[in-house]
Each structure stands twice: as C-alpha cells, then as structure tokens.
Amino acid sequence: MQNQLVLTAAVEREDALRYTPAGLPVLEMWLRHQSRQREAGFERDVSCEVQALLIGEAARKFSGSLAGKMVTVSGFLSQRSLRNPRLVLHIEHVEFVKG
Amino acid sequence: MAEEYAVQVAVDVPLFGTFSYLTHLPLRAGQRVRVPFGPRRVCGFITNDIPTEGIETGRLKRVEELFDELPPLPATLLAMVRFAADYYHHPIGQTLFTALPGALRTDRAVRLEDERLWQLTGAGLAEEPPARQKARRALWQALQDGPLTNAAARGVSAQAGRILADWLQEGRAERVAPEALPLRVAPAPSLNDEQQRALEALSETRDDFAPYVLHGITGSGKTEVYLRLIERVLAAGRQVLLLVPEINLTPQLIERFTGRFPATRVVMLHSHLADGERLKGWVDAWQGRAGIVIGTRLAVFTPLPRLGLIVVDEEHDGSFKQQDGLRYHARDLAVWRARQERVPIVLGSATPSLETMANVAAGRYRRLTLSRRAHDAARLPTIRLVDTRRIKLVEGLAEPVIAALKARVARGEMSLVFINRRGFAPVVACTDCGWLSGCPRCSAKLVVHLAERKMRCHHCGWEEAVPPVCPDCGNVDLKPLGQGTQRLEAALARLLPEARLLRIDRDTTRHKAAWDEVYRKVHAGEVDVLVGTQMLAKGHDFGALSLVTVLNADGGLYSADYRAAERLFAQLMQVAGRAGRAEAPGEVLVQTQWPEHPLYQALLRHDFDGYAQTLLEERRMAGFPPAVYQALLRADAYEIATATAFLTALRAEAEPHADGVLVSGPAPALMVRLANRERAQLVFESGSRAALHALLERLVSLAERMAKAHGRALRWSLDVDPQEM
C-alpha cells in the first residue's frame, strides 16, 4: 500500500522535545505549506497546515532548530489517534531548503 | 528402659489434627521435639500433658529428640493458638507455627546468649593477675568496678571468653543473674484535661478484662496517654503489649518509649528481624525480662507472664489482618487475649473501624474521646473541595491547587501532595489502536516506573521493560496515562521550580535508613513539598504542615468492595490530620468530581461519628459486616471453570447444613486473575456467629475432601471476617 508524502513547508512552530515511556525522543511540529499547483488545467494557490511528528534520534538532533525554517520533509500519514481522525505526517526525512 | 507411651505432636503441615508419636520421655505440653514426618525430620510441639490412651502404639514412630534449652511453651499461648485454630478453622500445627518466632520452627536446637553477668569471687578478688598478663589484668581490673555482661567483658579483652571460662573453672569468677532495675521515668509533657480524664478512666480497671476505645483526633496526643497508662502498669510490676501497624514501627516511636522508660527493656517484634534477634526479644518477653513489647500483628502471640495491659494503636489499620496462611486479625485476637488473661485493652485510633464503632454502640466497648489537639495552639485544618468537573487540569493538578502550593513555597511553609498511586503512571496506552499495558498474569494493568523504564504489576510483582513500540500495531508514540507519584513529582518540579521536593512511597522507602533520612530532612526544614502515597496518611508527625492536597481519591467512592468507602474516609481523615499540627494552622484541598458525595460532605465537617453512623446504617440495610458475621471460601485454579465447579459442588454439599446462614456464589473474585491463577469465591453470612461457625466446621472438612479430586490444580482457603473481597 502506498503512503508517502513529500512536502516543502515552513515549520511554523515546534513543541518541546518529549520522550516516549521507552525513552525515544518525540518532536511535534506544525508545518505551513504554500505553493501554486495545477488543477483541471488551471493554476491555483494552495495552502495548508499539517501537523507532523518526528520520532527517534533525528528528533533530538533537530529539536530547537526547526522553528521558522523552510524544510522539505517526506514521510507517511496516519490519523492522530483512535478517536481523532485528523491526519498527522510522520516524518522520515528532513532537508533544509533555502526559502 | 522406661515405659513407652503415645503423645500428640503438632507439626507445621496443612493437615488438621495432631499426630501420635511414641516416647519414653516424660514429655509435657508445650515442649519442643524433633519427629520423623514422612521422609523428613521436622520440629513439633507436644500438645497434651496426659499420655494418649487406647492407641495402637506398635505402629507409631518415635519422638527423636527433645529440645529443652527453653521451658515448655506456656499454657496461655497454647490456649490462644487453640482458639485461633478453631476460630479461623486452620490446622493447629500451622497455627502454632505462625505464632512462633522462626528459630523455634526449625528442627535444630536454638542457642541463647547467657544473660547472666560475670563477677569475681572472693578468691578471684584476692588473686591479682601479674602485670605481664595484660588481658587478664585488664579484665580483673574492669571487674573490680562491678559485674560485666558477656559483651562488655569482650569489649575489655577479645580473649575474655576463654579467660572467664578458666576462672569459672578455678572458682575465681562466677555468673550472677542481672538485678531488675527499678522503673525510671523521664520527664513528660503535661496532659490537657481531656487526656487526663481519659487516663483516669483507663486506669479504673486492673486485673480484669475491660475493653476501651481511645478515639482521639489526629494530633490529640493519644501516644502520651498510652505512655502515662503504661507507666502505671510498669510501676505495678506488670508487662505491656503494644501493637502497631508495621509502617508506624519507626525508630522515632521506639525512641519515645525507650526515652520515657530508660531502665525498662523494650522489645521490638516484627517480621523483618533476623531470626536470632526475634527469638531473643520473644524469650525476653516470655521470661519476664522485658517490660514492654512493641510489635506488628505477629507480636499478639508473644507470651507475657505478667501481662497487665494491651494497647492496639491505629486499630482500624488493615495491616493487623494477615492475608495468607492463618488469616488472623491481630486486633480481634488481642481482645480475646485480654479477656482470657483478664487485663484491660485499649484500641486507639482517630478513625476507629466500623466493627469497633458497632461494639461501642452496643455498649460492649467503652469509648473515651480526645476531641482537641494536644498542642494548645493547634487547630483543625480547614478543608475545601476543588470541583474538577469543568476545569482543565495541568498534569493532574487544578489551578487553585497549584496556586495554593506556590503560595506556601513562597512563604517557606511545607505542603504535602497525596496521591495513592506509586510509580509514574498507572498504565501505558497506545492511542492509535487502544492497546493497554495489561499484566500477563493478572486482571490488572502494569504500572510505568519511568526511571527504570520498567512496567510492574503491583499485585503479582511481574516486571518487564516498557516496549519501544506498541506490541499490537507498532506505534512508537505510546502514552503513559494517569498520575502516579513519580509523574507528579516531575510535574511539580516544572510547576514549582524553586521548591525542594521529597517523594515518599514504597519505592523510595525500601532501604532501612530511608525514614531516618525523611525525618532528618523534614525536621531540618529541607523540604517544601512532600509527594507521596498512603504511607503519608499514617501516624507520622511531620511538624508544621501548612497545606495538604489530595488528588484522585474518587476511586473509593463507588468501588465494588463495600469497605472501600470506610477505608477512603479513614484515609482522608488521617491525611487531612497531617495539616495544621503544631503552631501553623492548616488547609486541606481535595480535588474531586463528586463534591456532593456524603463522604466529602462529612469530611468538610470533620464529622467522623456522623459518617460512621451513615456507613453502619448502610451496612445494616445491605446485610454486610458488622451487621452480620461473614466468611469467604476462596478457590483458585488455572482456569476459573475449575474453581467454579469445585465451589458449586461444595455449595451443594454444604447448603443443606446451612442453618441460618446465607450462602452466595460462586462468584468471580473482584480481581479474577492474580499471578496466573483465576479466582472465585463463596460468601457465607449469618447474624449468628455460632451458626456460621457450625457450618464452617463442616465446610472445611468437606472442602478438604472434595479438593483432593482436583489435586494440585486447585487451591482453596477460608477467610473468617475477611477484610478484602
């Protein structure tokens, strides 16, 4: 099953680093994406806010350095929880881009 | 060869009755022997003075050895053991062995330190050792000043043992029994009028059974009343037995007694003593050398030839009831013993049990009340409820509670945060798929202990590492749910960064010296906020506590266990009582979602009597103890079906004999699974104790017989007057 999203966005804000009970670092952040895309043959403005999650060593590495930066991230989508169907992007790769 | 005859011997096996053995020794009841039992050699005790008649002696095995380094057990102890075995329907041998210190349960002789003192004889005094014999000379000189104990003599010279043995042989030294020191009493604080009246009332009866309830609010100075009463009993040459909950048996408590009576031997008895130490204390009590025995529930059996008074402090405490083996209640046995030995007994508490309150109401016990705090300036704390239904909690804490804590820290006053859950959080959950950290062996959840990254079952002791991902769906982001002491401590560290925190729960007080350190820190003013479990609700005096806050107490309001409300109320009264001792007026904040509940409303008014009456009325209407007498027959097996089948068959056999006894079940236990066993129970209730016990007598022999078909797969036990369902 395909589930892959690549997105270039500004990190609007990031939470303080937290840890799972097993001790893995977790970084939660909100991404603001703005671009122009084609739809039905027309150019249009696109904008969205995406909640994203970075777990593991990368979370510790990037913690505190992402807010306000432009990044290209890739990862998969999952719903927030059993009861909350809002989508969350689970980031696997982060790359800084000149914005 | 002397004539041989049969004697009855009690041994530590799960079989009812005693066993016949052959001997030619003139054995008496209470003597300790070694006998063969199956393939083993075991310790046993003779239970009869008169040789057993009419027994085919030819097939009996012989008593192998008599241990006579101690006198036979006293008849009073044997009588108490017989009563406990009958009342709790437990095998006599196992009952007796529960009552004894470990050293007397082995099939080996015990070694007791010779308590006598060394002194020089006339010949010894006359013969001064020459100066070159340094050790002999030093010892001789030390003995000029008076008799020495073994230990003191060894302190003078490491060779003292050998030298003194030589001198004993040569008639130069002898051993003398230490003289009992006259009672000395250190200066004591004065009593207020209530304490004085209670003391006088308690002193009215001597040499006769008289049950009293000393109902004194927290901080009212019950211990001082005990001390004064004990002084009078000691002055009359009698001994005192003081039972306390294990958690209250602190060095501070012992110091109060040894400090008050510096010339009296005070013996401490509890299950954490080394065998030798416990035996020594027990024998000292038995031989009349100790004036005071302070101990946990097991101390109720201590033989005391000159017993003059029994005190059960914090008589409502659950730890007086043993939860396995002989399921005895030390308070109840203490009352029986006081009646048997014709001495007064004092049951002390700020929150007497409903059983005790019912006995007061029925006129069986006389109640004495201490309604004021002993310290003139000390007042009862104000209690407020913080309704948490519509407000957002920060890490489990309501805003007004955080503000109150901040204010205390700023003023340099000490607060206490009470939450009855140790660990970090009561459960780990996967919010993606709904997985919860269940115990693989119990119907309970594993509690997170974050510092060790472990999950532990607080019921069976199972422990495993916190899984890195959800075992069901693979989600990494597992969440600890709910609050435990560790999490609260971490949260308070963030919310009150300037406060010095001290966490007190079973995990932080495992080490022997832990309480000493707690007291040192608290009294040195090195703590701003104490965070802890029910351990803090017990009789500790933390001095000037200005604020007590209670979190997550609601669980006890609607529990399936009918005793939950009684326990919660007592616990909250006790924990609230930690506030406002000494000079600082206190405040108590209770976070709850049920502020209208009668329990909390009674708590607001400090109305113990009113709420106790409400609960007693509820119990009467529902037909629960103390309105009826109750017993529980529990069975457990790998599968509940086995336990239920056994109980169903047992009930069918027993019910025709259940005259005036209500039988219910089998029903699954409140916690069905425990340590890989599934549990069910039958409940027996009756308004007549005699009717209940007549049935239990039959029930136990039925159960013993019927359980055989199931072999080891099935276990069963009877709990008379159960404290937990």
Side-chain angles (χ1 to χ4, degrees):
Chain A
M1 298 286 188
Q2 289 291 309
N3 181 347
Q4 191 71 48
L5 175 69
V6 182
L7 193 70
T8 302
V11 179
E12 202 164 55
R13 62 191 162 90
E14 54 168 291
D15 274 357
L17 194 69
R18 64 176 174 85
Y19 291 87
T20 70
L24 283 163
V26 180
L27 187 59
E28 284 192 58
M29 65 189 97
W30 279 260
L31 307 174
R32 167 63 63 182
H33 167 84
Q34 276 179 315
S35 61
R36 285 190 66 79
Q37 304 291 336
R38 286 191 76 80
E39 188 172 44
F42 302 97
E43 283 247 332
R44 56 158 293 179
D45 285 340
V46 172
S47 116
C48 60
E49 195 193 52
V50 180
Q51 191 179 355
L53 209 56
L54 182 59
I55 300 183
E57 265 319 296
R60 204 192 322 263
K61 188 174 127 197
F62 287 115
S63 170
S65 66
L66 290 174
K69 299 280 168 52
M70 200 63 148
V71 290
T72 295
V73 296
S74 64
F76 59 88
L77 290 171
S78 178
Q79 71 178 35
R80 173 129 182 94
S81 75
L82 205 56
R83 271 173 289 180
N84 185 344
R86 201 167 62 172
L87 291 175
V88 177
L89 171 61
H90 291 246
I91 299 171
E92 290 168 294
H93 298 288
V94 185
E95 230 174 87
F96 288 101
V97 280
K98 281 188 186 136
Chain B
M1 183 129 186
E3 196 188 336
E4 296 206 305
Y5 59 93
V7 286
Q8 295 299 308
V9 179
V11 297
D12 192 10
V13 292
L15 296 169
F16 286 85
T18 53
F19 300 87
S20 301
Y21 285 90
L22 205 57
T23 182
H24 60 268
L25 299 165
L27 294 178
R28 286 178 48 201
Q31 281 187 314
R32 201 163 81 89
V33 293
R34 179 167 57 215
V35 292
F37 194 88
R40 295 179 298 149
R41 299 280 179 277
V42 298
C43 166
F45 285 83
I46 310 294
T47 58
N48 62 328
D49 270 331
I50 308 148
T52 313
E53 303 281 341
I55 284 190
E56 182 65 56
T57 53
R59 298 169 54 196
L60 294 183
K61 291 182 181 171
R62 265 162 220 293
V63 171
E64 287 186 351
E65 188 165 355
L66 166 69
F67 299 111
D68 57 1
E69 63 277 17
L70 282 168
L73 298 177
T76 46
L77 173 62
L78 294 178
M80 188 169 176
V81 163
R82 270 195 204 100
F83 169 77
D86 284 348
Y87 186 80
Y88 294 106
H89 301 272
H90 201 65
I92 180 88
Q94 287 190 321
T95 307
L96 174 59
F97 279 76
T98 305
L100 297 175
L104 294 183
R105 295 182 225 151
T106 64
D107 66 332
R108 289 183 301 276
V110 293
R111 278 193 49 211
L112 289 161
E113 176 98 352
D114 194 333
E115 293 282 318
R116 288 174 302 169
L117 305 178
W118 290 100
Q119 80 179 15
L120 293 173
T121 59
L125 277 168
E127 204 172 326
E128 186 174 349
R132 63 191 155 75
Q133 294 179 347
K134 279 198 184 124
R136 283 169 184 262
R137 198 176 164 94
L139 202 55
W140 186 84
Q141 270 164 352
L143 284 165
Q144 300 287 313
D145 300 334
L148 293 178
T149 61
N150 260 332
R154 275 197 300 274
V156 175
S157 161
Q159 302 159 46
R162 195 166 45 75
I163 299 171
L164 287 166
D166 287 351
W167 285 356
L168 187 67
Q169 198 93 52
E170 297 159 13
R172 295 163 66 180
E174 61 189 354
R175 308 207 70 167
V176 290
E179 269 176 61
L181 297 168
L183 177 66
R184 281 206 291 136
V185 182
S190 56
L191 299 179
N192 66 28
D193 54 334
E194 271 191 336
Q195 288 173 306
Q196 191 65 45
R197 270 201 301 278
L199 175 64
E200 295 313 328
L202 291 169
S203 310
E204 275 169 26
T205 318
R206 247 186 223 176
D207 299 323
D208 203 1
F209 174 59
Y212 296 96
V213 177
L214 184 59
H215 184 187
I217 62 164
T218 48
S220 61
K222 287 187 292 293
T223 309
E224 188 53 41
V225 176
Y226 303 151
L227 282 162
R228 296 299 187 95
L229 186 60
I230 288 169
E231 178 186 332
R232 294 179 177 188
V233 176
L234 292 176
R238 308 289 291 271
Q239 293 171 294
V240 177
L241 174 62
L242 170 65
L243 300 179
V244 297
E246 179 158 332
I247 204 160
N248 295 66
L249 196 57
T250 57
Q252 284 69 25
L253 179 83
I254 304 306
E255 219 175 270
R256 266 187 95 172
F257 284 81
T258 51
R260 181 66 59 85
F261 308 113
T264 303
R265 166 120 166 87
V266 179
V267 158
M268 246 183 307
L269 290 176
H270 54 85
S271 56
H272 297 305
L273 288 177
D275 272 359
E277 213 177 336
R278 186 163 154 208
L279 179 69
K280 184 171 176 347
W282 203 80
V283 171
D284 277 358
W286 173 17
Q287 297 306 311
R289 290 189 286 267
I292 305 175
V293 171
I294 305 179
T296 56
R297 61 172 180 258
L298 56 85
V300 74
F301 293 104
T302 317
L304 294 155
R306 290 179 284 110
L307 181 64
L309 170 73
I310 303 179
V311 178
V312 183
D313 192 27
E314 309 291 346
E315 67 89 30
H316 65 280
D317 196 88
S319 74
F320 286 122
K321 171 88 179 180
Q322 177 142 308
Q323 300 291 359
D324 55 15
L326 176 70
R327 291 169 163 80
Y328 67 99
H329 201 301
R331 176 201 59 213
D332 298 349
L333 282 184
V335 172
W336 182 87
R337 183 173 181 180
R339 186 193 299 275
Q340 195 71 8
E341 301 197 28
R342 300 174 66 81
V343 296
I345 180 166
V346 183
L347 309 177
S349 178
T351 54
S353 64
L354 291 184
E355 277 77 5
T356 296
M357 291 299 279
N359 278 322
V360 170
R364 283 188 288 267
Y365 295 178
R366 177 165 168 204
R367 175 159 74 153
L368 304 162
T369 309
L370 303 178
S371 62
R372 295 200 318 272
R373 294 197 156 181
H375 208 286
D376 278 341
R379 274 160 303 166
L380 278 178
T382 346
I383 300 178
R384 284 200 295 133
L385 302 174
V386 179
D387 186 346
T388 56
R389 276 172 299 193
R390 275 175 203 85
I391 58 173
K392 203 169 148 45
L393 299 179
V394 181
E395 313 252 20
L397 293 158
E399 190 45 55
V401 170
I402 299 172
L405 284 167
K406 277 189 176 149
R408 289 334 194 276
V409 174
R411 292 210 296 269
E413 296 172 0
M414 189 161 56
S415 308
L416 183 160
V417 182
F418 172 74
I419 183 167
N420 211 358
R421 173 72 72 164
R422 68 190 167 92
F424 185 80
V427 64
V428 184
C430 172
T431 49
D432 277 11
C433 76
W435 172 85
L436 293 171
S437 57
C439 173
R441 293 148 40 98
C442 303
S443 28
K445 299 288 176 273
L446 295 174
V447 176
V448 198
H449 287 251
L450 205 57
E452 303 97 321
R453 303 237 177 268
K454 288 275 176 17
M455 305 193 297
R456 293 197 186 116
C457 177
H458 287 186
H459 299 277
C460 76
W462 175 268
E463 179 179 288
E464 60 183 81
V466 176
V469 302
C470 171
D472 281 2
C473 76
N475 172 26
V476 177
D477 198 8
L478 295 172
K479 301 262 168 55
L481 291 190
Q483 304 286 322
T485 46
Q486 291 179 9
R487 187 174 206 170
L488 200 56
E489 183 188 24
L492 288 169
R494 279 193 297 277
L495 293 165
L496 311 166
E498 66 286 358
R500 294 159 302 170
L501 306 175
L502 182 64
R503 176 162 62 88
I504 300 177
D505 55 32
R506 194 142 27 111
D507 300 315
T508 64
T509 52
R510 247 176 247 287
H511 301 292
K512 238 181 169 178
W515 277 110
D516 288 342
E517 185 60 9
V518 166
Y519 273 103
R520 192 195 61 72
K521 279 190 167 166
V522 165
H523 292 293
E526 292 170 19
V527 180
D528 296 309
V529 183
L530 290 162
V531 181
T533 59
Q534 53 157 350
M535 291 190 119
L536 292 171
K538 306 292 175 90
H540 305 290
D541 187 355
F542 291 119
L545 271 178
S546 151
L547 173 71
V548 169
T549 69
V550 178
L551 312 184
N552 299 3
D554 289 345
L557 295 179
Y558 297 102
S559 165
D561 185 343
Y562 65 86
R563 285 184 206 273
E566 177 189 357
R567 277 197 289 261
L568 174 61
F569 188 60
Q571 197 171 69
L572 293 182
M573 289 285 287
Q574 297 271 357
V575 78
R578 307 300 119 198
R581 304 193 114 184
E583 289 85 2
E587 187 183 17
V588 179
L589 296 176
V590 181
Q591 289 190 182
T592 174
Q593 304 207 32
W594 305 91
E596 311 82 7
H597 194 284
L599 188 150
Y600 289 129
Q601 290 301 314
L603 184 71
L604 287 182
R605 299 190 303 270
H606 298 275
D607 183 12
F608 179 81
D609 281 19
Y611 194 59
Q613 290 314 316
T614 306
L615 287 177
L616 277 173
E617 183 56 21
E618 277 177 25
R619 298 271 185 96
R620 199 183 59 74
M621 293 200 310
F624 284 131
V628 300
Y629 300 102
Q630 195 182 51
L632 220 57
L633 194 127
R634 297 192 182 88
D636 63 71
Y638 294 111
E639 283 177 17
I640 193 155
T642 315
T644 311
F646 165 72
L647 293 175
T648 306
L650 185 62
R651 179 181 173 163
E653 290 274 329
E655 204 150 27
H657 310 285
D659 200 11
V661 181
L662 181 71
V663 188
S664 11
L670 278 187
M671 206 174 122
V672 177
R673 241 175 110 74
L674 178 68
N676 267 343
R677 310 275 301 186
E678 296 187 340
R679 316 180 306 155
Q681 61 200 26
L682 290 174
V683 182
F684 301 86
E685 283 160 340
S686 177
S688 153
R689 187 173 259 164
L692 179 65
H693 280 262
L695 177 64
L696 295 182
E697 177 89 46
R698 195 180 279 269
L699 187 74
V700 163
S701 57
L702 278 172
E704 205 182 15
R705 179 163 58 74
M706 292 170 70
K708 279 191 184 128
H710 298 275
R712 289 187 165 203
L714 181 103
R715 291 188 311 208
W716 66 274
S717 63
L718 180 69
D719 195 346
V720 180
D721 307 329
Q723 291 293 302
E724 270 162 47
M725 293 300 278

